[in-house]
Amino acid sequence: MTDNATKSSIGGFLTPRQVEWIRDYVPFVAIALVILLFWAISGDRFMSIRNWTFIAQQTPVLMLLAFAQLIVVTTGSIDISIGSSLAFSAYMGALGMLWFGDGGLVLGIVAGAFVGMVNGLVISLLKIPSFVTTLAMLIIVRALVIIISDGSSIYMTDGSVSGGTNISSVAAPWLLSMGKFPAIFIVAAVVAVLMWIFYEKTLFGQQLKAVGGNEKVLRLLGINVTAFKIKVFAAAGVMVGIAACVNLARAGAATPQAGLMIELDAIAAVALGGTPLTGGYGSVVKTIIGALTLTIVRNGLTIAGVPPSWSQIALGALLIAAIAISLNRSKVEIVK
């Protein structure tokens, strides 16, 4: 066995082929085991139609954010600003509706693309690592939302517009309907299909994997990698903007606190889907499985009566296990 093959095996005990098999099938095995576990613990309360309807309403936002993270992670980078970007995009979308009517919701997608583009520009032109850049943007964008909103929220209503000194609302019954099952599930399914086509069948999607696998190859082919990375983060920002619009529909309000810590859930969903954080490979279908698994675990622990603190410990342990399995050790010379 070569040195690289040895490094790519988990602890040196598994062959590279066995490791690849685990990476291919572990997301499906994991979700099956999770469902069986909570079915055994909570019975009909977990497996009821009502509960699965709730899961179907909760998963889409996380799934869309996981898609945004997948686009970035495939290139070997990471974006931890998407929670703040979600809040910013949702608030700008709500403001757009307040100012321009229903079509103003598009402003939310534009806002997400803008934050992503800024991330890409800073990372590519200033050569600042993606973790540091997006950490700074997480702080900056969250503060920007608080400044713009002045700490107030904008509510979606199904009736006439009403307001007060500190309350703004928009009559958008169509948007509230979109946030309910089955409409939210249908919207998420359509976006998932489009994401699969974008990621698996387009040249851009193939280049994503090439940048993560070996960036020098693209440079040798004459591709402007700096411009490409800006496009990558802008594309991820568009997906965050779409997620923000769906979250606005589901929550019925744009708040400065929206999306707090959800960037960690998005990273966990991608990792649970078997995508290595070192880049070069990814799967839309497995990312969906990862997001669904994470939602089911949270839901199952709640139904089982597990205290929130212990639930967080369980989710943290699950994330470590997922990264341990998905990490491509052949690309990691030293772990710090």
Side-chain angles (χ1 to χ4, degrees):
M1 185 180 291
T2 65
D3 290 341
N4 284 341
T6 302
K7 289 174 185 176
S8 67
S9 64
I10 299 177
F13 296 108
L14 299 177
T15 66
R17 182 174 295 179
Q18 289 172 325
V19 172
E20 288 304 315
W21 186 91
I22 291 173
R23 287 177 183 159
D24 282 341
Y25 292 100
V26 73
F28 303 101
V29 174
I31 193 170
L33 291 176
V34 165
I35 291 172
L36 290 173
L37 174 63
F38 289 118
W39 190 3
I41 293 174
S42 303
D44 291 342
R45 286 189 301 157
F46 175 74
M47 293 301 292
S48 67
I49 294 176
R50 179 181 179 184
N51 188 52
W52 280 96
T53 298
F54 179 75
I55 290 173
Q57 287 179 299
Q58 292 294 313
T59 304
V61 173
L62 176 58
M63 183 191 76
L64 297 177
L65 290 176
F67 287 164
Q69 198 67 254
L70 175 65
I71 293 171
V72 174
V73 168
T74 303
T75 66
S77 299
I78 197 165
D79 186 353
I80 59 172
S81 69
I82 60 175
S84 297
S85 182
L86 177 82
F88 177 67
S89 299
Y91 205 88
M92 293 307 297
L95 278 179
M97 294 180 71
L98 198 61
W99 295 337
F100 309 116
D102 292 346
L105 183 64
V106 176
L107 188 59
I109 299 177
V110 173
F114 174 76
V115 174
M117 186 176 66
V118 172
N119 279 332
L121 285 168
V122 173
I123 292 165
S124 300
L125 300 182
L126 300 183
K127 307 300 181 184
I128 299 176
S130 59
F131 179 84
V132 178
T133 298
T134 57
L135 175 61
M137 286 298 288
L138 177 150
I139 299 168
I140 292 170
V141 175
R142 181 67 65 178
L144 187 61
V145 176
I146 294 173
I147 291 170
I148 292 173
S149 67
D150 196 25
S152 63
S153 301
I154 299 176
Y155 297 91
M156 303 295 109
T157 68
D158 54 8
S160 59
V161 176
S162 61
T165 305
N166 296 314
I167 299 176
S168 297
S169 60
V170 179
W174 66 272
L175 187 62
L176 292 175
S177 296
M178 192 182 79
K180 298 175 182 178
F181 185 84
I184 191 172
F185 179 82
I186 295 171
V187 170
V190 170
V191 176
V193 171
L194 294 175
M195 175 65 185
W196 182 84
I197 295 171
F198 167 78
Y199 190 82
E200 301 289 350
K201 300 299 180 180
T202 66
L203 178 61
F204 191 87
Q206 298 308 310
Q207 290 175 341
L208 284 175
K209 302 177 184 71
V211 169
N214 191 342
E215 187 175 314
K216 293 180 181 178
V217 174
L218 284 185
R219 294 186 186 277
L220 292 174
L221 291 174
I223 295 174
N224 188 331
V225 176
T226 298
F228 181 75
K229 286 185 176 180
I230 296 172
K231 293 177 184 177
V232 167
F233 278 88
V238 169
M239 189 60 70
V240 173
I242 295 172
C245 294
V246 174
N247 189 65
L248 182 61
R250 183 175 64 86
T255 68
Q257 296 79 27
L260 282 171
M261 301 299 287
I262 200 170
E263 56 274 348
L264 301 182
D265 285 350
I267 295 170
V270 171
L272 286 170
T275 299
L277 299 185
T278 46
Y281 167 80
S283 168
V284 172
V285 173
K286 292 176 185 176
T287 299
I288 295 171
I289 297 297
L292 185 58
T293 300
L294 193 62
T295 305
I296 290 172
V297 169
R298 287 188 181 278
N299 174 268
L301 290 172
T302 300
I303 290 177
V306 177
S309 297
W310 285 102
S311 296
Q312 293 300 106
I313 291 174
L315 289 166
L318 188 63
L319 176 58
I320 290 174
I323 294 176
I325 293 171
S326 66
L327 180 64
N328 189 345
R329 287 162 178 78
S330 66
K331 293 186 178 182
V332 181
E333 296 291 337
I334 300 174
V335 178
K336 295 184 179 181

